[in-house]
Amino acid sequence: MGAKQSHLIVNSYQLWRLFSPMILRKLSNSSLSDDTYLFAMISQCTCLSTLDGGIVHFLLNSFAIFYIGRAVEQNHGSFNAAILFAMPAVGSTIISAIFLPQFISVGASGGIFGLIGACVAEIIKNRKLLFSDFINKGRSKRHHTVIVMILVLDIFLNLLMGLTPYTDNFMHVGGFVLGFICASTMLGQVNIEGEESRFKSPATSLFTRYFGLLVCCICIIVSTVILFNGDGITSPCEDCGVLSCVSFPPWADYDKKWWYCDDCGGVTAFGIRDEVTNEYSSLEMECPQGHTIVFSLDGLENSKVALQQNLSIFCRERCFN
């Protein structure tokens, strides 16, 4: 409950799903039920699914939120830090809902990348001061170079992780861009004397300071309009999914890959029994895109255990054709 599911946001107006993913983690599940009993099978949950993309992604996000989030809050206050986290988190969820409607997404990556984008914006604005003799008295400028390189490495590794299942590069990139835009004006530039630069008048100062936030809000409004003009099931760019996930290895046969770029691990189905034999004769499956299919089990092993184990295979064979 609360994960980003585009068809529920668009068609059932469950708008809280635009906000709740930032405080949730993903738990994959598959379930099978029939007309009399409901059999729920929670798949064997490893850290790779429970921690929204794996332990490596979890550690990278923890590193970012602890060091970068704390630095932004200490230097610019809790209010600015909250804005730079929440706005990109919501905006990136909307972007993901537009381009990846078939995937269920959760996690705080959009907000975390918003903070990273803010940090990058501030580094660019104050790059001369950061590597100046005024700041680096008594120590090497290499210290700040190392910090920048670590930040770049964190971004690269997160984007690389975004090509695997359970991570969402549209949240990563969307959050980064929105965080960068907000921070480009919200976080003031510091002059060589170490004092924050001031604008000519209070009105100009206020407008300029929050211009990036205004642009960010406009982007979110436009994205929301685009989202609700769609059907919540199909993407306006079907080929864009490759930016967020690549089935691996790409040279292997479809049924022999190490991982797949879909949400078939969480599908549900109703088993329909034959009135004479009382065995499962067909399945009614809810596909990740939100639509339902019914298919016969003729020629297939139809025990409850076998069907539960093969739900994801059935999904990949039938839901995306």
Side-chain angles (χ1 to χ4, degrees), residues 150-304:
I150 292 175
L151 183 63
V152 172
L153 179 62
D154 181 70
I155 295 172
F156 172 77
L157 290 177
N158 267 292
L159 292 177
L160 189 63
M161 290 291 296
L163 298 177
T164 65
Y166 304 114
T167 53
D168 188 337
N169 260 348
F170 281 94
M171 282 194 175
H172 290 164
V173 176
F176 180 89
V177 172
L178 292 174
F180 184 92
I181 293 174
C182 285
S184 61
T185 59
M186 281 183 64
L187 306 185
Q189 186 175 2
V190 180
N191 63 28
I192 196 64
E193 286 78 24
E195 297 177 354
E196 189 173 341
S197 60
R198 299 182 183 275
F199 301 105
K200 294 182 178 180
S201 69
T204 303
S205 175
L206 185 64
F207 175 78
T208 306
R209 183 176 183 85
Y210 292 103
F211 179 75
L213 181 60
L214 177 63
V215 173
C216 190
C217 290
I218 293 174
C219 290
I220 290 176
I221 293 172
V222 172
S223 299
T224 303
V225 172
I226 295 174
L227 173 62
F228 281 93
N229 280 336
D231 58 9
I233 298 176
T234 57
S235 170
C237 178
E238 294 294 342
D239 296 329
C240 291
V242 71
L243 300 175
S244 185
C245 186
V246 176
S247 297
F248 189 85
W251 56 84
D253 294 337
Y254 189 75
D255 59 346
K256 295 182 180 179
K257 294 185 182 295
W258 297 359
W259 66 69
Y260 299 86
C261 297
D262 54 45
D263 269 332
C264 283
V267 295
T268 59
F270 287 93
I272 303 174
R273 294 183 183 272
D274 186 275
E275 294 181 357
V276 178
T277 63
N278 201 35
E279 294 181 348
Y280 292 113
S281 60
S282 60
L283 279 184
E284 180 181 334
M285 176 182 292
E286 183 178 352
C287 293
Q289 305 98 314
H291 66 279
T292 300
I293 60 172
V294 179
F295 58 92
S296 172
L297 296 175
D298 290 345
L300 301 173
E301 187 176 352
N302 59 358
S303 67
K304 184 180 72 174

